[in-house]
């Protein structure tokens, strides 16, 4: 057993349980506390070298998945204990290392999100993906992972972006390009998938979307859709948040483990 480093995994969803199990599989001692009270946490943290918090780290002022306030937790953590979390507020970056900033971790998350989105499309669309039309809004990591996989499944994919460099990248992949916010090719698709965490479709534009179209928003809150307009127009719209934790928690948990170990130079 690798006893030189002791880990604590706190809160979160199934990803964090997979992270803890993954650390144990490598021989590390792990204290796994999905939802402890403060007394339990303070008694266990004293012998811990590394504390791993969830992604996203917070729900309000508490550690995600627990009732423990983040300032309360940090005040009890020994100064020598390294603290890692995903998606942390700016005011906590002096004390917590954000593993979500790691490029390899973000790429793994993009793949997991793309695969989760595909599972939703298969469940929600009454047609095969092969031959169906899709508009992907955004050409970031998730947009790229999604366009690659949907194209491989035989979908007719259009990708919208705002920058010339992105349009060139999309065109080089033999995909149809469009301008986000303008949509020169219209909005008549079987599905429209947003990856941009900013408004991308106005109410006027949503009125042009066919009722049969599935709108899937993968962006973090509040997303990129006008949700009130979607309801008023009776459009099918799904805000699919935290897909890695829902559709591939084991792989995503191991990605957290591997990223933290890399950041600690333990791999």
């Amino acid at each position: 057993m690798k006893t030189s480093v002791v880990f604590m995994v706190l809160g979160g969803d199934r990803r964090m349980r997979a992270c803890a199990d993954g650390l144990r599989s490598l021989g590390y001692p792990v204290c796994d506390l999905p939802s402890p009270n403060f007394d339990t946490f303070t008694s266990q943290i004293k012998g811990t070298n590394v504390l791993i918090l969830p992604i996203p780290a917070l729900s309000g002022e508490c550690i995600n998945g627990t009732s423990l306030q983040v300032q309360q937790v940090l005040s009890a953590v020994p100064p020598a204990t390294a603290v890692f979390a995903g998606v942390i507020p700016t005011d906590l970056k002096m004390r917590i290392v954000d593993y979500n900033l790691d490029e390899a971790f973000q790429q793994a998350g993009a793949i997991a999100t793309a695969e989760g989105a595909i599972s939703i499309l298969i469940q929600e669309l009454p047609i095969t993906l092969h031959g169906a039309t899709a508009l992907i809004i955004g050409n970031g990591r998730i947009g790229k992972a999604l366009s690659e996989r949907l194209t491989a499944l035989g979908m007719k994919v259009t990708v919208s972006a705002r920058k010339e460099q992105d349009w060139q990248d999309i065109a080089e992949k033999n995909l149809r390009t469009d301008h986000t916010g303008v949509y020169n090719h219209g909005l008549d698709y079987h599905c429209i998938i947003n990856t941009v965490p900013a408004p991308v479709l106005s109410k006027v534009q949503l009125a042009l979307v066919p009722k049969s179209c599935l709108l899937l928003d993968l962006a973090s809150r509040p997303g990129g859709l006008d949700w009130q307009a979607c309801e008023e127009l009776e459009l099918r719209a799904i805000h699919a948040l935290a897909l890695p934790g829902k559709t591939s928690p084991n792989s995503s948990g191991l990605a957290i483990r591997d990223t933290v170990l890399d950041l600690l130079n333990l791999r």
Side-chain angles (χ1 to χ4, degrees), residues 49 68 87 129 138 171 189 200 202 222 258:
N49 305 111
L68 300 179
V87 189
L129 298 189
Y189 295 93
V200 292
S202 67
D258 292 345

Side-chain angles (χ1 to χ4, degrees), residues 132-156:
T133 56
L135 169 64
I136 298 172
I137 301 175
N139 191 47
R141 293 181 187 85
I142 294 173
K144 289 175 180 176
L146 196 53
S147 64
E148 177 184 347
R149 284 157 178 76
L150 292 184
T151 301
L153 289 169
M155 293 192 77
K156 300 172 183 176

Side-chain angles (χ1 to χ4, degrees), residues 14-32:
R14 290 185 294 165
R15 286 176 286 190
M16 302 311 292
R17 291 193 288 276
C19 175
D21 290 341
L23 287 166
R24 291 191 188 95
S25 73
L26 296 179
Y28 289 104
V30 181
C31 177
D32 185 7

Side-chain angles (χ1 to χ4, degrees), residues 3-10 29-31 33 37-51 72-83 95:
T3 56
S4 59
V5 180
V6 179
F7 289 84
M8 176 184 286
V9 178
L10 180 64
V30 181
C31 177
L33 297 177
N37 59 43
F38 187 65
D39 290 340
T40 302
F41 171 75
T42 54
S43 67
Q44 296 291 331
I45 192 63
K46 295 176 182 177
T48 299
N49 305 111
V50 181
L51 171 61
Q72 185 183 35
V73 166
L74 293 178
S75 67
V77 175
T81 298
V83 184
R95 184 65 180 93

Side-chain angles (χ1 to χ4, degrees), residues 71-265:
Q71 295 298 344
Q72 185 183 35
V73 166
L74 293 178
S75 67
V77 175
T81 298
V83 184
F84 294 87
V87 189
I88 59 175
T90 303
D91 61 333
L92 296 179
K93 289 185 177 180
M94 293 296 292
R95 184 65 180 93
I96 303 175
V97 178
D98 191 343
Y99 54 74
N100 187 57
L101 298 179
D102 181 81
E103 176 62 31
F105 181 79
Q106 290 192 1
Q107 188 58 42
I111 292 170
T113 300
E115 292 187 5
I118 291 170
S119 73
I120 294 175
L121 296 180
I122 292 172
Q123 292 172 13
E124 296 292 333
L125 288 175
I127 57 175
T128 61
L129 298 189
H130 184 86
T133 56
L135 169 64
I136 298 172
I137 301 175
N139 191 47
R141 293 181 187 85
I142 294 173
K144 289 175 180 176
L146 196 53
S147 64
E148 177 184 347
R149 284 157 178 76
L150 292 184
T151 301
L153 289 169
M155 293 192 77
K156 300 172 183 176
V157 177
T158 300
V159 183
S160 75
R162 288 193 170 98
K163 297 179 181 179
E164 181 69 32
Q165 183 178 350
D166 283 316
W167 295 331
Q168 292 177 1
D169 176 69
I170 297 162
E172 287 173 1
K173 297 173 183 175
N174 295 317
L175 299 174
R176 189 169 73 165
T177 65
D178 209 337
H179 192 155
T180 299
V182 180
Y183 309 113
N184 296 309
H185 295 298
L187 293 165
D188 187 4
Y189 295 93
H190 290 110
C191 61
I192 297 174
I193 307 166
N194 176 52
T195 68
V196 179
V200 292
L201 285 166
S202 67
K203 183 175 182 179
V204 172
Q205 290 169 331
L206 286 169
L208 302 176
V209 175
K211 292 275 195 296
S212 59
C213 176
L214 174 65
L215 290 160
L216 182 59
D217 198 339
L218 305 179
S220 56
R221 288 189 177 93
L225 302 182
D226 183 332
W227 297 100
Q228 182 175 347
C230 287
E231 184 176 353
E232 291 174 358
L233 294 167
E234 298 181 343
L235 295 172
R236 287 194 301 156
I238 298 174
H239 200 180
L241 296 169
L243 283 180
K246 296 173 182 175
T247 61
S248 54
N250 288 3
S251 296
S252 301
L254 292 180
I256 295 173
R257 176 201 67 179
D258 292 345
T259 302
V260 171
L261 291 177
D262 285 342
L263 293 170
L264 291 169
N265 295 317

